[in-house]
Amino acid sequence: MQNQYPMWKNVLLIILAVISLVYAIPNLYSEDPVIQISGNIAEINTDTLKEKARDALRQAGITYKRIHSLEDGIEIRFKNTDTQLQARDVLRNDFGPKYTIALNLAPTTPQWLRAIGAEPMKQGLDLRGGVHFLLEVDVESVVNRRFEGLIKNLSQDLREAGIRYASIRGIPGDGVNVQFRTLQAMEDGLNEIKSKFPSMVFSRMPVKYTINANFSPADLNLMRQNTIEQTMSILRNRVNELGVGEAVVQQQGATRIAVDLPGIQDAARAKQILGGTATLEFHLVDHENDAVVAMQTGSVPVDSKLYKMDDYPILLKRQVVLSGDSITSAVSSFDQQTASPSVQIQLGGGREALFTKVTRANIGKQMAIVYVENKTSMERDEKGELHRVTRKEERVISAPRIQSALGNNFQITGLTDLKEASNLALLLRAGALPAAIYPVEERTVGPTLGKENIRRGMVSLMVGMALILIVMLVYYRFFGLVANIALLLNLLFLTALLSLIGATLTLPGIAGIVLTVGMAVDANVLIYERIREELRNGLSPHAAIYAGYERAFSTILDANVTTLIVGIVLFAIGTGPVKGFAVTLSLGLLTSMLTAITYTRAIVNIFYGRRSVKKLSIGI
């Protein structure tokens, strides 16, 4: 018959509704404020940590829900954030600097739901609270490095061309000055470097036989903007590694980047990961010269550099055999032989062939692994004025002996604890920042305002739904009841889908859901008005139902597709809250088409399809 679905289709629709209910249920559970305690691997005993934490909290009169073990420590759950913050201060004083006391939020979703991947929706900074950073990027350091590279390239090209020059020096903010010995040498040098560097801007200086080489303003601006964009890309990678969904990373002004991290409570940990500039360099150990003598006399070979490893001097070749740029994967683990923390490395950045070649040629010799990090601090100059100074800190992690040619996979040992191994692996995976960054502004946003936003958003959603349900029920009678059921199913499907894909709910996202609820009944109104029109034209009830659904479908599809295109464009070019609105709107359109067309027709078919009908309860 016209108005009947086959049994398999009805069963499929029921199964889909049940699955959606299961994946939407986790959003009914709240989150517990927790404190996570971890420490050095060799010292961790979870039973001891539990007992120590219990004693400290008991003496301070602080109540908690429960304590359970983690892989590298323990986790303590509390009833509210006030108690959590109180307990953090107590535990920090009791455990001391050897342990890391981190704040977090843990879901209370039952284990059987989490086992099948049913997790609640993440919440944005405006709903859940979190940390806001405004970071300044030291773009001028990148420009200065480019000028240093330009000085080396100019001197090398002039030497290769046999053109003698007196000096090459960089002028801060004004390019590079090259002074020649004769007028002819200056003319020959200018022609030579113009041919090698056609995009540079050259000018003659008042100083005798001197020319100035500089980047064009457009190139300098492009260089600065590329630095900002590369920094933003790396920060996004690090945010993903931190497990923060839909964090906002966007440029603010010429040299600043704003970062919003929803749900993060430990600002120190987040700042350490975001601002970390750590990377690795691999150097061959210089066995031809004595490191102790070099340190005592201060005479270091030109092609070597003096370092310290475990407070002992060590000479390394200046040539970088491999850098962190060539690392495509880094995972913290344990060395099977020593049970000490290590990082498993996988190469794929383009220099692994050179790395394999060098290690093959130096079997039996030592290769040092240097941990490199840029740190920024405020220091006073001779006049007592504060200036921001960036220093490069280098530390030799280990200098193992090369046993065989190293390929694309190997491990790094010599790390102090699992936390250092985990941080190093994270920074290597995300990539090293092209320039140092430092916080200009740091704000911890509490969830109090978020709770009020959620309450108001839910009130607006419920009021809007209630009005729609009443109007549809009064105006369309039984068919209005069917539309109301479809509307509730639409909200269920949308919640389940957002939870399943790990979307982040923001205040604009709630606005998108409210808008979707309002638009969801449009399709049913079109269908029902078409059915009423066909009834007025003299068609039988069954024929009118069939014609109403079939003839209204193209109109519904056209209207939803045009709105969906807008949602896709918003998602493609928008960031943060705009994306949240686009996601809920786009998914809401898809779920509303499913419920308003397929589910309503299935219910109508079940009620009217197998019996003779003389009149429809559709409000006329």
Side-chain angles (χ1 to χ4, degrees):
M1 293 180 66
Q2 286 181 328
N3 298 320
Q4 285 188 20
Y5 277 162
M7 181 60 70
W8 67 266
K9 193 169 187 178
N10 290 326
V11 171
L12 182 62
L13 292 176
I14 293 172
I15 292 174
L16 187 59
V18 171
I19 292 174
S20 298
L21 178 63
V22 170
Y23 280 92
I25 283 176
N27 293 282
L28 299 177
Y29 294 91
S30 60
E31 289 180 315
D32 282 340
V34 302
I35 290 179
Q36 294 170 341
I37 303 177
S38 58
N40 295 334
I41 299 304
E43 301 176 2
I44 279 188
N45 183 308
T46 55
D47 293 333
T48 304
L49 287 182
K50 285 181 182 179
E51 193 60 35
K52 190 174 182 179
R54 287 192 188 100
D55 291 341
L57 295 175
R58 190 183 303 115
Q59 290 177 9
I62 297 174
T63 59
Y64 57 90
K65 293 176 73 173
R66 66 176 182 274
I67 302 178
H68 64 272
S69 301
L70 299 175
E71 289 184 4
D72 59 344
I74 62 172
E75 181 180 86
I76 311 171
R77 291 180 177 252
F78 299 89
K79 291 183 178 180
N80 53 61
T81 53
D82 292 337
T83 309
Q84 176 201 36
L85 295 175
Q86 214 176 8
R88 177 194 59 182
D89 298 334
V90 171
L91 293 172
R92 276 183 177 172
N93 293 332
D94 197 73
F95 279 82
K98 291 192 300 180
Y99 294 90
T100 301
I101 311 294
L103 302 179
N104 211 336
L105 293 171
T108 58
T109 311
Q111 186 59 40
W112 70 271
L113 284 172
R114 297 171 64 184
I116 60 174
E119 299 281 355
M121 279 185 285
K122 301 181 182 70
Q123 295 175 4
L125 192 67
D126 52 354
L127 300 181
R128 188 180 184 186
V131 181
H132 165 82
F133 292 108
L134 183 61
L135 306 171
E136 181 85 24
V137 183
D138 187 11
V139 294
E140 294 307 316
S141 65
V142 176
V143 176
N144 292 336
R145 287 201 299 270
R146 288 291 299 272
F147 276 118
E148 291 173 4
L150 177 62
I151 291 173
K152 293 179 182 177
N153 292 334
L154 288 175
S155 61
Q156 182 179 349
D157 288 337
L158 291 173
R159 283 198 303 270
E160 291 177 354
I163 300 172
R164 302 185 67 184
Y165 59 90
S167 65
I168 297 182
R169 62 192 182 94
I171 308 299
D174 196 26
V176 177
N177 282 358
V178 185
Q179 187 174 21
F180 296 88
R181 299 183 183 278
T182 64
L183 177 62
Q184 185 61 45
M186 184 183 74
E187 296 295 339
D188 293 342
L190 183 58
N191 292 332
E192 173 67 22
I193 59 181
K194 270 187 176 180
S195 64
K196 293 292 181 65
F197 305 94
S199 63
M200 301 290 295
V201 177
F202 299 95
S203 59
R204 299 173 187 269
M205 303 296 293
V207 182
K208 191 176 183 180
Y209 308 143
T210 302
I211 61 173
N212 176 267
N214 204 346
F215 295 103
S216 67
D219 286 343
L220 287 172
N221 289 334
L222 181 62
M223 200 182 303
R224 294 185 177 103
Q225 186 59 33
N226 286 342
T227 301
I228 293 292
E229 291 178 358
Q230 186 179 353
T231 302
M232 288 171 60
S233 176
I234 291 171
L235 288 178
R236 288 192 184 100
N237 290 339
R238 294 184 177 185
V239 165
N240 292 337
E241 293 289 346
L242 280 171
V244 182
E246 288 295 328
V248 178
V249 180
Q250 58 188 0
Q251 184 173 351
Q252 193 169 98
T255 61
R256 292 183 175 182
I257 297 174
V259 181
D260 289 341
L261 303 177
I264 292 290
Q265 293 181 291
D266 193 350
R269 160 76 170 160
K271 185 163 60 176
Q272 178 188 4
I273 295 301
L274 289 178
T277 54
T279 186
L280 292 180
E281 290 181 356
F282 294 78
H283 299 258
L284 287 172
V285 176
D286 184 359
H287 292 285
E288 299 172 1
N289 299 281
D290 193 328
V292 176
V293 174
M295 184 183 68
Q296 292 174 347
T297 62
S299 178
V300 180
V302 177
D303 59 347
S304 298
K305 189 174 179 180
L306 185 64
Y307 292 86
K308 276 194 173 183
M309 184 178 71
D310 298 332
D311 295 328
Y312 291 97
I314 182 173
L315 275 175
L316 305 183
K317 297 288 186 181
R318 286 187 179 272
Q319 181 190 12
V320 179
V321 179
L322 184 74
S323 64
D325 299 337
S326 300
I327 296 172
T328 58
S329 176
V331 181
S332 58
S333 60
F334 296 95
D335 182 25
Q336 295 181 352
Q337 296 180 350
T338 63
S340 61
S342 66
V343 177
Q344 298 288 338
I345 298 293
Q346 182 176 344
L347 303 181
R351 295 191 63 183
E352 56 270 23
L354 173 64
F355 183 64
T356 303
K357 179 181 177 182
V358 170
T359 53
R360 182 183 295 114
N362 291 275
I363 292 176
K365 298 180 180 179
Q366 288 178 285
M367 174 175 283
I369 304 165
V370 182
Y371 182 92
V372 183
E373 184 175 8
N374 292 320
K375 290 189 175 180
T376 302
S377 60
M378 300 297 293
E379 297 182 5
R380 295 187 182 275
D381 59 13
E382 297 176 353
K383 298 179 180 179
E385 296 179 355
L386 280 173
H387 293 278
R388 188 170 281 105
V389 179
T390 301
R391 285 190 170 84
K392 185 177 182 181
E393 294 188 4
E394 299 174 303
R395 173 167 60 90
V396 179
I397 296 176
S398 62
R401 199 168 296 279
I402 303 172
Q403 304 293 340
S404 61
L406 298 177
N408 292 348
N409 296 279
F410 58 93
Q411 74 172 1
I412 297 169
T413 57
L415 301 165
T416 57
D417 54 49
L418 185 60
K419 185 67 70 177
E420 182 182 22
S422 177
N423 286 350
L424 177 60
L426 188 155
L427 294 174
L428 290 175
R429 286 196 302 271
L433 292 170
I437 62 175
Y438 47 89
V440 176
E441 179 185 355
E442 177 184 327
R443 271 200 326 267
T444 300
V445 182
T448 305
L449 181 62
K451 289 180 180 178
E452 181 64 17
N453 286 336
I454 293 174
R455 188 189 68 80
R456 293 186 179 185
M458 295 307 295
V459 167
S460 64
L461 181 61
M462 288 187 290
V463 170
M465 280 198 66
L467 291 175
I468 292 172
L469 293 176
I470 293 171
V471 170
M472 291 297 290
L473 188 60
V474 171
Y475 196 71
Y476 289 111
R477 311 287 174 82
F478 171 76
F479 278 80
L481 176 63
V482 174
N484 290 343
I485 295 173
L487 190 61
L488 296 173
L489 283 173
N490 177 45
L491 193 59
L492 178 69
F493 286 154
L494 181 56
T495 303
L497 197 54
L498 289 171
S499 302
L500 196 58
I501 65 174
T504 298
L505 185 65
T506 60
L507 198 58
I510 293 179
I513 295 175
V514 175
L515 179 60
T516 299
V517 169
M519 296 174 61
V521 295
D522 286 353
N524 290 121
V525 171
L526 288 172
I527 294 170
Y528 296 167
E529 288 301 322
R530 187 72 189 193
I531 293 174
R532 293 168 70 167
E533 183 180 347
E534 297 297 343
L535 289 171
R536 286 193 292 268
N537 290 335
L539 287 184
S540 66
H542 280 293
I545 292 172
Y546 182 81
Y549 277 97
E550 293 297 321
R551 294 175 183 177
F553 178 77
S554 59
T555 305
I556 296 169
L557 183 63
D558 290 343
N560 282 276
V561 166
T562 52
T563 309
L564 185 61
I565 291 172
V566 175
I568 292 172
V569 172
L570 286 175
F571 181 81
I573 65 176
T575 58
V578 177
K579 272 193 174 183
F581 177 80
V583 167
T584 54
L585 177 63
S586 302
L587 293 179
L589 288 173
L590 298 176
T591 56
S592 66
M593 285 191 65
L594 173 66
T595 55
I597 298 174
T598 307
Y599 273 88
T600 59
R601 190 166 187 181
I603 297 171
V604 170
N605 287 349
I606 292 171
F607 192 78
Y608 286 114
R610 297 184 181 275
R611 61 192 182 93
S612 178
V613 180
K614 293 183 179 180
K615 186 177 180 181
L616 297 178
S617 177
I618 198 170
I620 59 169

